Amino acid sequence: MTTVILHGGPCDGETLDLSAVPEEERAGGVALPSAGCAYPGGRSLYEPDAAGRWQWLRDVP
């Protein structure tokens, strides 16, 4: 199991299991449905930084 902690944005502090996400798709980040997203029904985009820490980038519609 590959679990990461999300930093910043509406999902700050939540953990995410990336086991089902292929390795090549993880590098581009993940867009997660989030109740705290700036767009109703939108997603919050998280991506690993150079140190491997999953940081919030922005909200997307």
Side-chain angles (χ1 to χ4, degrees):
M1 181 155 83
T2 302
T3 303
V4 297
I5 299 173
L6 303 175
H7 298 276
C11 299
D12 185 46
E14 292 184 26
T15 58
L16 177 64
D17 179 7
L18 294 174
S19 299
V21 180
E23 184 84 31
E24 59 275 2
E25 290 180 27
R26 292 181 203 171
V30 293
L32 306 170
S34 172
C37 181
Y39 303 98
R43 295 173 177 263
S44 296
L45 181 61
Y46 285 82
E47 183 176 88
D49 63 15
R53 183 174 152 152
W54 281 74
Q55 291 286 137
W56 175 75
L57 294 177
R58 65 183 173 278
D59 290 336
V60 292

mmCIF file of all heavy atoms in Angstrom:
data_model
loop_
_atom_site.group_PDB
_atom_site.id
_atom_site.type_symbol
_atom_site.label_atom_id
_atom_site.label_comp_id
_atom_site.label_asym_id
_atom_site.label_seq_id
_atom_site.Cartn_x
_atom_site.Cartn_y
_atom_site.Cartn_z
ATOM 1 N N MET A 1 0.853 -1.174 0.000
ATOM 2 C CA MET A 1 0.000 0.000 0.000
ATOM 3 C C MET A 1 0.902 1.241 0.000
ATOM 4 O O MET A 1 1.871 1.325 0.724
ATOM 5 C CB MET A 1 -0.914 0.000 1.221
ATOM 6 C CG MET A 1 -1.837 1.195 1.245
ATOM 7 S SD MET A 1 -3.370 0.974 2.176
ATOM 8 C CE MET A 1 -2.862 1.294 3.820
ATOM 9 N N THR A 2 0.539 2.214 -0.835
ATOM 10 C CA THR A 2 1.264 3.462 -0.914
ATOM 11 C C THR A 2 0.353 4.579 -0.424
ATOM 12 O O THR A 2 -0.604 4.948 -1.089
ATOM 13 C CB THR A 2 1.693 3.756 -2.376
ATOM 14 O OG1 THR A 2 2.485 2.671 -2.833
ATOM 15 C CG2 THR A 2 2.462 5.036 -2.466
ATOM 16 N N THR A 3 0.638 5.087 0.761
ATOM 17 C CA THR A 3 -0.175 6.131 1.362
ATOM 18 C C THR A 3 0.645 7.402 1.479
ATOM 19 O O THR A 3 1.810 7.364 1.872
ATOM 20 C CB THR A 3 -0.665 5.704 2.755
ATOM 21 O OG1 THR A 3 -1.384 4.472 2.632
ATOM 22 C CG2 THR A 3 -1.591 6.742 3.357
ATOM 23 N N VAL A 4 0.033 8.535 1.121
ATOM 24 C CA VAL A 4 0.696 9.837 1.239
ATOM 25 C C VAL A 4 -0.182 10.765 2.068
ATOM 26 O O VAL A 4 -1.394 10.574 2.168
ATOM 27 C CB VAL A 4 0.984 10.467 -0.141
ATOM 28 C CG1 VAL A 4 1.944 9.597 -0.943
ATOM 29 C CG2 VAL A 4 -0.288 10.709 -0.929
ATOM 30 N N ILE A 5 0.434 11.779 2.650
ATOM 31 C CA ILE A 5 -0.290 12.819 3.382
ATOM 32 C C ILE A 5 -0.360 14.040 2.487
ATOM 33 O O ILE A 5 0.642 14.440 1.876
ATOM 34 C CB ILE A 5 0.417 13.160 4.703
ATOM 35 C CG1 ILE A 5 0.476 11.932 5.605
ATOM 36 C CG2 ILE A 5 -0.289 14.319 5.410
ATOM 37 C CD1 ILE A 5 1.310 12.120 6.854
ATOM 38 N N LEU A 6 -1.545 14.635 2.386
ATOM 39 C CA LEU A 6 -1.745 15.815 1.544
ATOM 40 C C LEU A 6 -1.465 17.077 2.364
ATOM 41 O O LEU A 6 -1.834 17.170 3.525
ATOM 42 C CB LEU A 6 -3.179 15.831 1.012
ATOM 43 C CG LEU A 6 -3.576 14.583 0.220
ATOM 44 C CD1 LEU A 6 -5.044 14.642 -0.150
ATOM 45 C CD2 LEU A 6 -2.704 14.405 -1.004
ATOM 46 N N HIS A 7 -0.799 18.048 1.732
ATOM 47 C CA HIS A 7 -0.403 19.282 2.404
ATOM 48 C C HIS A 7 -1.002 20.488 1.690
ATOM 49 O O HIS A 7 -0.910 20.609 0.473
ATOM 50 C CB HIS A 7 1.125 19.405 2.428
ATOM 51 C CG HIS A 7 1.783 18.300 3.188
ATOM 52 N ND1 HIS A 7 1.932 18.325 4.549
ATOM 53 C CD2 HIS A 7 2.297 17.122 2.776
ATOM 54 C CE1 HIS A 7 2.533 17.217 4.941
ATOM 55 N NE2 HIS A 7 2.754 16.470 3.882
ATOM 56 N N GLY A 8 -1.615 21.372 2.469
ATOM 57 C CA GLY A 8 -2.208 22.590 1.923
ATOM 58 C C GLY A 8 -3.574 22.333 1.325
ATOM 59 O O GLY A 8 -4.052 21.203 1.222
ATOM 60 N N GLY A 9 -4.238 23.407 0.939
ATOM 61 C CA GLY A 9 -5.539 23.308 0.289
ATOM 62 C C GLY A 9 -6.610 22.695 1.161
ATOM 63 O O GLY A 9 -6.425 22.481 2.363
ATOM 64 N N PRO A 10 -7.747 22.371 0.555
ATOM 65 C CA PRO A 10 -8.894 21.884 1.319
ATOM 66 C C PRO A 10 -8.730 20.474 1.893
ATOM 67 O O PRO A 10 -9.460 20.096 2.797
ATOM 68 C CB PRO A 10 -10.050 21.930 0.323
ATOM 69 C CG PRO A 10 -9.442 22.019 -1.014
ATOM 70 C CD PRO A 10 -8.080 22.611 -0.840
ATOM 71 N N CYS A 11 -7.787 19.700 1.409
ATOM 72 C CA CYS A 11 -7.594 18.334 1.905
ATOM 73 C C CYS A 11 -6.383 18.228 2.836
ATOM 74 O O CYS A 11 -5.907 17.126 3.110
ATOM 75 C CB CYS A 11 -7.421 17.370 0.733
ATOM 76 S SG CYS A 11 -8.841 17.309 -0.378
ATOM 77 N N ASP A 12 -5.893 19.355 3.327
ATOM 78 C CA ASP A 12 -4.701 19.390 4.175
ATOM 79 C C ASP A 12 -4.801 18.397 5.329
ATOM 80 O O ASP A 12 -5.802 18.359 6.050
ATOM 81 C CB ASP A 12 -4.501 20.805 4.734
ATOM 82 C CG ASP A 12 -3.214 20.938 5.517
ATOM 83 O OD1 ASP A 12 -2.182 20.471 5.018
ATOM 84 O OD2 ASP A 12 -3.250 21.511 6.618
ATOM 85 N N GLY A 13 -3.775 17.569 5.463
ATOM 86 C CA GLY A 13 -3.709 16.607 6.554
ATOM 87 C C GLY A 13 -4.370 15.272 6.265
ATOM 88 O O GLY A 13 -4.164 14.311 7.007
ATOM 89 N N GLU A 14 -5.139 15.183 5.207
ATOM 90 C CA GLU A 14 -5.785 13.910 4.867
ATOM 91 C C GLU A 14 -4.759 12.960 4.266
ATOM 92 O O GLU A 14 -3.757 13.376 3.688
ATOM 93 C CB GLU A 14 -6.923 14.136 3.874
ATOM 94 C CG GLU A 14 -8.093 14.894 4.463
ATOM 95 C CD GLU A 14 -9.256 15.025 3.495
ATOM 96 O OE1 GLU A 14 -9.400 14.175 2.587
ATOM 97 O OE2 GLU A 14 -10.013 15.994 3.645
ATOM 98 N N THR A 15 -5.015 11.674 4.397
ATOM 99 C CA THR A 15 -4.152 10.672 3.771
ATOM 100 C C THR A 15 -4.839 10.142 2.517
ATOM 101 O O THR A 15 -6.063 10.122 2.428
ATOM 102 C CB THR A 15 -3.843 9.507 4.732
ATOM 103 O OG1 THR A 15 -5.065 8.913 5.150
ATOM 104 C CG2 THR A 15 -3.058 9.987 5.937
ATOM 105 N N LEU A 16 -4.025 9.738 1.571
ATOM 106 C CA LEU A 16 -4.525 9.234 0.298
ATOM 107 C C LEU A 16 -3.798 7.950 -0.041
ATOM 108 O O LEU A 16 -2.564 7.903 -0.027
ATOM 109 C CB LEU A 16 -4.286 10.287 -0.796
ATOM 110 C CG LEU A 16 -4.674 9.914 -2.216
ATOM 111 C CD1 LEU A 16 -6.183 9.698 -2.327
ATOM 112 C CD2 LEU A 16 -4.222 10.988 -3.189
ATOM 113 N N ASP A 17 -4.558 6.893 -0.335
ATOM 114 C CA ASP A 17 -3.986 5.615 -0.743
ATOM 115 C C ASP A 17 -3.833 5.644 -2.263
ATOM 116 O O ASP A 17 -4.819 5.718 -2.995
ATOM 117 C CB ASP A 17 -4.899 4.467 -0.314
ATOM 118 C CG ASP A 17 -4.383 3.108 -0.737
ATOM 119 O OD1 ASP A 17 -3.249 3.015 -1.257
ATOM 120 O OD2 ASP A 17 -5.118 2.133 -0.547
ATOM 121 N N LEU A 18 -2.598 5.581 -2.729
ATOM 122 C CA LEU A 18 -2.318 5.642 -4.169
ATOM 123 C C LEU A 18 -2.105 4.263 -4.789
ATOM 124 O O LEU A 18 -1.688 4.169 -5.938
ATOM 125 C CB LEU A 18 -1.068 6.498 -4.412
ATOM 126 C CG LEU A 18 -1.199 7.971 -4.074
ATOM 127 C CD1 LEU A 18 0.152 8.656 -4.213
ATOM 128 C CD2 LEU A 18 -2.220 8.640 -4.976
ATOM 129 N N SER A 19 -2.406 3.214 -4.060
ATOM 130 C CA SER A 19 -2.159 1.854 -4.544
ATOM 131 C C SER A 19 -2.826 1.566 -5.888
ATOM 132 O O SER A 19 -2.272 0.858 -6.715
ATOM 133 C CB SER A 19 -2.639 0.828 -3.513
ATOM 134 O OG SER A 19 -1.946 0.985 -2.311
ATOM 135 N N ALA A 20 -4.006 2.116 -6.117
ATOM 136 C CA ALA A 20 -4.745 1.835 -7.352
ATOM 137 C C ALA A 20 -4.342 2.753 -8.511
ATOM 138 O O ALA A 20 -4.797 2.562 -9.631
ATOM 139 C CB ALA A 20 -6.246 1.960 -7.099
ATOM 140 N N VAL A 21 -3.489 3.747 -8.236
ATOM 141 C CA VAL A 21 -3.081 4.692 -9.274
ATOM 142 C C VAL A 21 -1.731 4.241 -9.843
ATOM 143 O O VAL A 21 -0.754 4.139 -9.106
ATOM 144 C CB VAL A 21 -2.943 6.125 -8.697
ATOM 145 C CG1 VAL A 21 -2.528 7.100 -9.775
ATOM 146 C CG2 VAL A 21 -4.240 6.565 -8.042
ATOM 147 N N PRO A 22 -1.682 3.950 -11.152
ATOM 148 C CA PRO A 22 -0.410 3.514 -11.747
ATOM 149 C C PRO A 22 0.697 4.554 -11.516
ATOM 150 O O PRO A 22 0.453 5.755 -11.533
ATOM 151 C CB PRO A 22 -0.735 3.387 -13.235
ATOM 152 C CG PRO A 22 -2.211 3.176 -13.285
ATOM 153 C CD PRO A 22 -2.762 3.972 -12.133
ATOM 154 N N GLU A 23 1.916 4.076 -11.298
ATOM 155 C CA GLU A 23 3.074 4.921 -10.997
ATOM 156 C C GLU A 23 3.250 6.063 -12.000
ATOM 157 O O GLU A 23 3.491 7.205 -11.619
ATOM 158 C CB GLU A 23 4.338 4.058 -10.976
ATOM 159 C CG GLU A 23 5.591 4.790 -10.578
ATOM 160 C CD GLU A 23 5.766 4.892 -9.080
ATOM 161 O OE1 GLU A 23 5.323 4.001 -8.356
ATOM 162 O OE2 GLU A 23 6.362 5.894 -8.649
ATOM 163 N N GLU A 24 3.095 5.776 -13.286
ATOM 164 C CA GLU A 24 3.295 6.805 -14.314
ATOM 165 C C GLU A 24 2.231 7.907 -14.248
ATOM 166 O O GLU A 24 2.470 9.033 -14.659
ATOM 167 C CB GLU A 24 3.363 6.204 -15.719
ATOM 168 C CG GLU A 24 2.146 5.424 -16.161
ATOM 169 C CD GLU A 24 2.137 3.954 -15.714
ATOM 170 O OE1 GLU A 24 3.062 3.507 -15.019
ATOM 171 O OE2 GLU A 24 1.173 3.263 -16.068
ATOM 172 N N GLU A 25 1.063 7.609 -13.708
ATOM 173 C CA GLU A 25 0.003 8.609 -13.574
ATOM 174 C C GLU A 25 0.165 9.464 -12.321
ATOM 175 O O GLU A 25 -0.318 10.584 -12.257
ATOM 176 C CB GLU A 25 -1.365 7.933 -13.567
ATOM 177 C CG GLU A 25 -1.750 7.359 -14.909
ATOM 178 C CD GLU A 25 -3.111 6.684 -14.875
ATOM 179 O OE1 GLU A 25 -3.948 7.074 -14.037
ATOM 180 O OE2 GLU A 25 -3.331 5.766 -15.678
ATOM 181 N N ARG A 26 0.856 8.953 -11.325
ATOM 182 C CA ARG A 26 1.044 9.693 -10.076
ATOM 183 C C ARG A 26 1.896 10.941 -10.260
ATOM 184 O O ARG A 26 1.689 11.943 -9.586
ATOM 185 C CB ARG A 26 1.734 8.826 -9.029
ATOM 186 C CG ARG A 26 0.917 7.698 -8.545
ATOM 187 C CD ARG A 26 1.698 6.944 -7.508
ATOM 188 N NE ARG A 26 1.198 5.581 -7.425
ATOM 189 C CZ ARG A 26 1.778 4.625 -6.748
ATOM 190 N NH1 ARG A 26 2.885 4.878 -6.083
ATOM 191 N NH2 ARG A 26 1.263 3.424 -6.707
ATOM 192 N N ALA A 27 2.873 10.878 -11.142
ATOM 193 C CA ALA A 27 3.811 11.988 -11.331
ATOM 194 C C ALA A 27 3.086 13.267 -11.745
ATOM 195 O O ALA A 27 3.504 14.357 -11.394
ATOM 196 C CB ALA A 27 4.862 11.615 -12.366
ATOM 197 N N GLY A 28 1.989 13.143 -12.465
ATOM 198 C CA GLY A 28 1.229 14.306 -12.901
ATOM 199 C C GLY A 28 0.265 14.818 -11.852
ATOM 200 O O GLY A 28 -0.433 15.796 -12.064
ATOM 201 N N GLY A 29 0.230 14.162 -10.704
ATOM 202 C CA GLY A 29 -0.662 14.581 -9.629
ATOM 203 C C GLY A 29 -2.019 13.925 -9.740
ATOM 204 O O GLY A 29 -2.294 13.155 -10.667
ATOM 205 N N VAL A 30 -2.855 14.224 -8.762
ATOM 206 C CA VAL A 30 -4.210 13.687 -8.736
ATOM 207 C C VAL A 30 -5.190 14.811 -8.430
ATOM 208 O O VAL A 30 -4.889 15.713 -7.662
ATOM 209 C CB VAL A 30 -4.364 12.547 -7.693
ATOM 210 C CG1 VAL A 30 -3.565 11.332 -8.087
ATOM 211 C CG2 VAL A 30 -3.981 12.997 -6.311
ATOM 212 N N ALA A 31 -6.346 14.768 -9.064
ATOM 213 C CA ALA A 31 -7.414 15.742 -8.823
ATOM 214 C C ALA A 31 -8.497 15.032 -8.020
ATOM 215 O O ALA A 31 -9.138 14.104 -8.511
ATOM 216 C CB ALA A 31 -7.968 16.270 -10.140
ATOM 217 N N LEU A 32 -8.687 15.474 -6.783
ATOM 218 C CA LEU A 32 -9.598 14.804 -5.862
ATOM 219 C C LEU A 32 -10.890 15.586 -5.667
ATOM 220 O O LEU A 32 -10.845 16.803 -5.471
ATOM 221 C CB LEU A 32 -8.927 14.662 -4.497
ATOM 222 C CG LEU A 32 -7.576 13.986 -4.483
ATOM 223 C CD1 LEU A 32 -6.931 14.146 -3.121
ATOM 224 C CD2 LEU A 32 -7.736 12.526 -4.824
ATOM 225 N N PRO A 33 -12.033 14.905 -5.685
ATOM 226 C CA PRO A 33 -13.274 15.593 -5.327
ATOM 227 C C PRO A 33 -13.133 16.132 -3.905
ATOM 228 O O PRO A 33 -12.595 15.449 -3.033
ATOM 229 C CB PRO A 33 -14.337 14.497 -5.385
ATOM 230 C CG PRO A 33 -13.724 13.380 -6.151
ATOM 231 C CD PRO A 33 -12.240 13.491 -5.963
ATOM 232 N N SER A 34 -13.558 17.362 -3.699
ATOM 233 C CA SER A 34 -13.382 17.964 -2.379
ATOM 234 C C SER A 34 -14.523 18.917 -2.067
ATOM 235 O O SER A 34 -14.825 19.812 -2.860
ATOM 236 C CB SER A 34 -12.054 18.723 -2.339
ATOM 237 O OG SER A 34 -11.948 19.460 -1.151
ATOM 238 N N ALA A 35 -15.127 18.747 -0.898
ATOM 239 C CA ALA A 35 -16.206 19.638 -0.474
ATOM 240 C C ALA A 35 -15.689 21.057 -0.273
ATOM 241 O O ALA A 35 -16.426 22.018 -0.422
ATOM 242 C CB ALA A 35 -16.831 19.121 0.811
ATOM 243 N N GLY A 36 -14.407 21.220 0.038
ATOM 244 C CA GLY A 36 -13.826 22.537 0.268
ATOM 245 C C GLY A 36 -13.278 23.194 -0.982
ATOM 246 O O GLY A 36 -12.676 24.262 -0.913
ATOM 247 N N CYS A 37 -13.491 22.584 -2.126
ATOM 248 C CA CYS A 37 -13.001 23.119 -3.395
ATOM 249 C C CYS A 37 -13.654 24.462 -3.698
ATOM 250 O O CYS A 37 -14.803 24.712 -3.339
ATOM 251 C CB CYS A 37 -13.306 22.122 -4.511
ATOM 252 S SG CYS A 37 -12.742 22.639 -6.137
ATOM 253 N N ALA A 38 -12.916 25.341 -4.362
ATOM 254 C CA ALA A 38 -13.426 26.666 -4.717
ATOM 255 C C ALA A 38 -14.551 26.593 -5.755
ATOM 256 O O ALA A 38 -15.308 27.549 -5.909
ATOM 257 C CB ALA A 38 -12.293 27.527 -5.257
ATOM 258 N N TYR A 39 -14.676 25.474 -6.456
ATOM 259 C CA TYR A 39 -15.708 25.297 -7.477
ATOM 260 C C TYR A 39 -16.709 24.247 -7.012
ATOM 261 O O TYR A 39 -16.301 23.130 -6.701
ATOM 262 C CB TYR A 39 -15.086 24.835 -8.802
ATOM 263 C CG TYR A 39 -14.025 25.762 -9.320
ATOM 264 C CD1 TYR A 39 -12.673 25.502 -9.101
ATOM 265 C CD2 TYR A 39 -14.362 26.901 -10.034
ATOM 266 C CE1 TYR A 39 -11.689 26.351 -9.584
ATOM 267 C CE2 TYR A 39 -13.385 27.756 -10.513
ATOM 268 C CZ TYR A 39 -12.053 27.476 -10.285
ATOM 269 O OH TYR A 39 -11.089 28.324 -10.766
ATOM 270 N N PRO A 40 -17.984 24.559 -6.972
ATOM 271 C CA PRO A 40 -18.972 23.543 -6.578
ATOM 272 C C PRO A 40 -18.860 22.311 -7.473
ATOM 273 O O PRO A 40 -18.868 22.424 -8.703
ATOM 274 C CB PRO A 40 -20.312 24.253 -6.781
ATOM 275 C CG PRO A 40 -19.984 25.711 -6.690
ATOM 276 C CD PRO A 40 -18.604 25.846 -7.280
ATOM 277 N N GLY A 41 -18.677 21.162 -6.874
ATOM 278 C CA GLY A 41 -18.528 19.920 -7.633
ATOM 279 C C GLY A 41 -17.152 19.754 -8.254
ATOM 280 O O GLY A 41 -16.920 18.808 -8.999
ATOM 281 N N GLY A 42 -16.222 20.652 -7.961
ATOM 282 C CA GLY A 42 -14.885 20.610 -8.552
ATOM 283 C C GLY A 42 -13.937 19.688 -7.811
ATOM 284 O O GLY A 42 -14.337 18.906 -6.944
ATOM 285 N N ARG A 43 -12.679 19.812 -8.168
ATOM 286 C CA ARG A 43 -11.645 18.958 -7.596
ATOM 287 C C ARG A 43 -10.449 19.793 -7.150
ATOM 288 O O ARG A 43 -10.213 20.869 -7.679
ATOM 289 C CB ARG A 43 -11.188 17.921 -8.625
ATOM 290 C CG ARG A 43 -12.302 16.965 -8.983
ATOM 291 C CD ARG A 43 -11.886 16.047 -10.134
ATOM 292 N NE ARG A 43 -12.933 15.101 -10.424
ATOM 293 C CZ ARG A 43 -12.971 13.852 -9.964
ATOM 294 N NH1 ARG A 43 -11.997 13.395 -9.194
ATOM 295 N NH2 ARG A 43 -13.958 13.060 -10.259
ATOM 296 N N SER A 44 -9.711 19.252 -6.205
ATOM 297 C CA SER A 44 -8.492 19.883 -5.718
ATOM 298 C C SER A 44 -7.311 19.089 -6.259
ATOM 299 O O SER A 44 -7.256 17.866 -6.110
ATOM 300 C CB SER A 44 -8.465 19.907 -4.196
ATOM 301 O OG SER A 44 -9.519 20.720 -3.716
ATOM 302 N N LEU A 45 -6.378 19.782 -6.893
ATOM 303 C CA LEU A 45 -5.240 19.140 -7.536
ATOM 304 C C LEU A 45 -4.047 19.112 -6.588
ATOM 305 O O LEU A 45 -3.626 20.148 -6.072
ATOM 306 C CB LEU A 45 -4.878 19.896 -8.811
ATOM 307 C CG LEU A 45 -3.718 19.365 -9.634
ATOM 308 C CD1 LEU A 45 -3.995 17.942 -10.113
ATOM 309 C CD2 LEU A 45 -3.457 20.273 -10.824
ATOM 310 N N TYR A 46 -3.520 17.906 -6.371
ATOM 311 C CA TYR A 46 -2.335 17.694 -5.540
ATOM 312 C C TYR A 46 -1.270 17.011 -6.382
ATOM 313 O O TYR A 46 -1.578 16.178 -7.231
ATOM 314 C CB TYR A 46 -2.667 16.824 -4.328
ATOM 315 C CG TYR A 46 -3.439 17.567 -3.275
ATOM 316 C CD1 TYR A 46 -4.815 17.726 -3.372
ATOM 317 C CD2 TYR A 46 -2.787 18.149 -2.199
ATOM 318 C CE1 TYR A 46 -5.527 18.434 -2.423
ATOM 319 C CE2 TYR A 46 -3.491 18.861 -1.236
ATOM 320 C CZ TYR A 46 -4.859 18.998 -1.358
ATOM 321 O OH TYR A 46 -5.549 19.717 -0.408
ATOM 322 N N GLU A 47 0.002 17.390 -6.123
ATOM 323 C CA GLU A 47 1.109 16.861 -6.908
ATOM 324 C C GLU A 47 2.334 16.728 -5.999
ATOM 325 O O GLU A 47 2.531 17.568 -5.116
ATOM 326 C CB GLU A 47 1.394 17.829 -8.048
ATOM 327 C CG GLU A 47 2.473 17.405 -8.996
ATOM 328 C CD GLU A 47 2.610 18.397 -10.135
ATOM 329 O OE1 GLU A 47 3.363 19.367 -9.973
ATOM 330 O OE2 GLU A 47 1.953 18.205 -11.171
ATOM 331 N N PRO A 48 3.155 15.704 -6.216
ATOM 332 C CA PRO A 48 4.355 15.580 -5.384
ATOM 333 C C PRO A 48 5.380 16.650 -5.762
ATOM 334 O O PRO A 48 5.581 16.940 -6.941
ATOM 335 C CB PRO A 48 4.875 14.175 -5.700
ATOM 336 C CG PRO A 48 4.323 13.851 -7.050
ATOM 337 C CD PRO A 48 3.029 14.596 -7.159
ATOM 338 N N ASP A 49 6.018 17.258 -4.744
ATOM 339 C CA ASP A 49 7.075 18.221 -5.031
ATOM 340 C C ASP A 49 8.408 17.474 -5.171
ATOM 341 O O ASP A 49 8.429 16.233 -5.160
ATOM 342 C CB ASP A 49 7.135 19.316 -3.951
ATOM 343 C CG ASP A 49 7.471 18.808 -2.561
ATOM 344 O OD1 ASP A 49 7.939 17.649 -2.423
ATOM 345 O OD2 ASP A 49 7.278 19.569 -1.596
ATOM 346 N N ALA A 50 9.497 18.186 -5.301
ATOM 347 C CA ALA A 50 10.807 17.567 -5.517
ATOM 348 C C ALA A 50 11.214 16.637 -4.379
ATOM 349 O O ALA A 50 11.944 15.668 -4.586
ATOM 350 C CB ALA A 50 11.864 18.648 -5.711
ATOM 351 N N ALA A 51 10.721 16.907 -3.175
ATOM 352 C CA ALA A 51 11.043 16.075 -2.014
ATOM 353 C C ALA A 51 10.063 14.913 -1.840
ATOM 354 O O ALA A 51 10.201 14.107 -0.934
ATOM 355 C CB ALA A 51 11.048 16.938 -0.758
ATOM 356 N N GLY A 52 9.032 14.830 -2.701
ATOM 357 C CA GLY A 52 8.049 13.759 -2.612
ATOM 358 C C GLY A 52 6.854 14.091 -1.735
ATOM 359 O O GLY A 52 5.995 13.248 -1.524
ATOM 360 N N ARG A 53 6.794 15.307 -1.225
ATOM 361 C CA ARG A 53 5.669 15.751 -0.384
ATOM 362 C C ARG A 53 4.518 16.175 -1.294
ATOM 363 O O ARG A 53 4.711 16.948 -2.223
ATOM 364 C CB ARG A 53 6.141 16.922 0.471
ATOM 365 C CG ARG A 53 5.141 17.446 1.420
ATOM 366 C CD ARG A 53 5.794 18.499 2.284
ATOM 367 N NE ARG A 53 4.781 19.444 2.718
ATOM 368 C CZ ARG A 53 4.850 20.132 3.824
ATOM 369 N NH1 ARG A 53 5.905 20.036 4.595
ATOM 370 N NH2 ARG A 53 3.898 20.949 4.160
ATOM 371 N N TRP A 54 3.319 15.669 -1.041
ATOM 372 C CA TRP A 54 2.159 15.946 -1.891
ATOM 373 C C TRP A 54 1.530 17.284 -1.510
ATOM 374 O O TRP A 54 0.930 17.433 -0.464
ATOM 375 C CB TRP A 54 1.157 14.801 -1.791
ATOM 376 C CG TRP A 54 1.607 13.655 -2.639
ATOM 377 C CD1 TRP A 54 2.633 12.797 -2.364
ATOM 378 C CD2 TRP A 54 1.112 13.282 -3.903
ATOM 379 N NE1 TRP A 54 2.794 11.910 -3.379
ATOM 380 C CE2 TRP A 54 1.860 12.176 -4.340
ATOM 381 C CE3 TRP A 54 0.086 13.759 -4.720
ATOM 382 C CZ2 TRP A 54 1.630 11.550 -5.558
ATOM 383 C CZ3 TRP A 54 -0.150 13.124 -5.918
ATOM 384 C CH2 TRP A 54 0.611 12.041 -6.330
ATOM 385 N N GLN A 55 1.724 18.278 -2.373
ATOM 386 C CA GLN A 55 1.281 19.657 -2.140
ATOM 387 C C GLN A 55 0.071 19.998 -2.990
ATOM 388 O O GLN A 55 -0.057 19.569 -4.137
ATOM 389 C CB GLN A 55 2.409 20.626 -2.520
ATOM 390 C CG GLN A 55 3.606 20.597 -1.611
ATOM 391 C CD GLN A 55 3.312 21.260 -0.292
ATOM 392 O OE1 GLN A 55 3.703 20.739 0.733
ATOM 393 N NE2 GLN A 55 2.623 22.371 -0.262
ATOM 394 N N TRP A 56 -0.802 20.825 -2.436
ATOM 395 C CA TRP A 56 -1.940 21.357 -3.169
ATOM 396 C C TRP A 56 -1.439 22.366 -4.185
ATOM 397 O O TRP A 56 -0.581 23.203 -3.884
ATOM 398 C CB TRP A 56 -2.908 22.020 -2.188
ATOM 399 C CG TRP A 56 -4.080 22.708 -2.821
ATOM 400 C CD1 TRP A 56 -5.169 22.114 -3.362
ATOM 401 C CD2 TRP A 56 -4.293 24.097 -2.960
ATOM 402 N NE1 TRP A 56 -6.050 23.052 -3.831
ATOM 403 C CE2 TRP A 56 -5.513 24.283 -3.593
ATOM 404 C CE3 TRP A 56 -3.535 25.219 -2.614
ATOM 405 C CZ2 TRP A 56 -6.019 25.550 -3.888
ATOM 406 C CZ3 TRP A 56 -4.030 26.472 -2.909
ATOM 407 C CH2 TRP A 56 -5.276 26.624 -3.530
ATOM 408 N N LEU A 57 -1.954 22.304 -5.404
ATOM 409 C CA LEU A 57 -1.576 23.250 -6.461
ATOM 410 C C LEU A 57 -2.680 24.282 -6.703
ATOM 411 O O LEU A 57 -2.423 25.475 -6.758
ATOM 412 C CB LEU A 57 -1.277 22.520 -7.771
ATOM 413 C CG LEU A 57 -0.072 21.609 -7.765
ATOM 414 C CD1 LEU A 57 0.057 20.908 -9.105
ATOM 415 C CD2 LEU A 57 1.177 22.387 -7.442
ATOM 416 N N ARG A 58 -3.889 23.770 -6.897
ATOM 417 C CA ARG A 58 -5.034 24.660 -7.196
ATOM 418 C C ARG A 58 -6.306 23.820 -7.228
ATOM 419 O O ARG A 58 -6.257 22.597 -7.248
ATOM 420 C CB ARG A 58 -4.830 25.359 -8.524
ATOM 421 C CG ARG A 58 -4.816 24.423 -9.712
ATOM 422 C CD ARG A 58 -4.531 25.154 -11.033
ATOM 423 N NE ARG A 58 -4.369 24.222 -12.116
ATOM 424 C CZ ARG A 58 -3.254 23.564 -12.412
ATOM 425 N NH1 ARG A 58 -2.182 23.709 -11.665
ATOM 426 N NH2 ARG A 58 -3.205 22.739 -13.432
ATOM 427 N N ASP A 59 -7.423 24.519 -7.272
ATOM 428 C CA ASP A 59 -8.706 23.856 -7.475
ATOM 429 C C ASP A 59 -9.075 23.964 -8.950
ATOM 430 O O ASP A 59 -8.734 24.955 -9.606
ATOM 431 C CB ASP A 59 -9.792 24.518 -6.616
ATOM 432 C CG ASP A 59 -9.598 24.227 -5.129
ATOM 433 O OD1 ASP A 59 -8.973 23.218 -4.793
ATOM 434 O OD2 ASP A 59 -10.093 25.013 -4.306
ATOM 435 N N VAL A 60 -9.738 22.949 -9.448
ATOM 436 C CA VAL A 60 -10.145 22.935 -10.848
ATOM 437 C C VAL A 60 -11.655 22.638 -10.928
ATOM 438 O O VAL A 60 -12.181 21.890 -10.109
ATOM 439 C CB VAL A 60 -9.340 21.899 -11.663
ATOM 440 C CG1 VAL A 60 -7.896 22.309 -11.777
ATOM 441 C CG2 VAL A 60 -9.425 20.504 -11.067
ATOM 442 N N PRO A 61 -12.338 23.248 -11.907
ATOM 443 C CA PRO A 61 -13.780 23.000 -12.043
ATOM 444 C C PRO A 61 -14.093 21.561 -12.422
ATOM 445 O O PRO A 61 -13.284 20.852 -12.904
ATOM 446 C CB PRO A 61 -14.214 23.937 -13.156
ATOM 447 C CG PRO A 61 -13.062 24.822 -13.454
ATOM 448 C CD PRO A 61 -11.854 24.228 -12.836
#
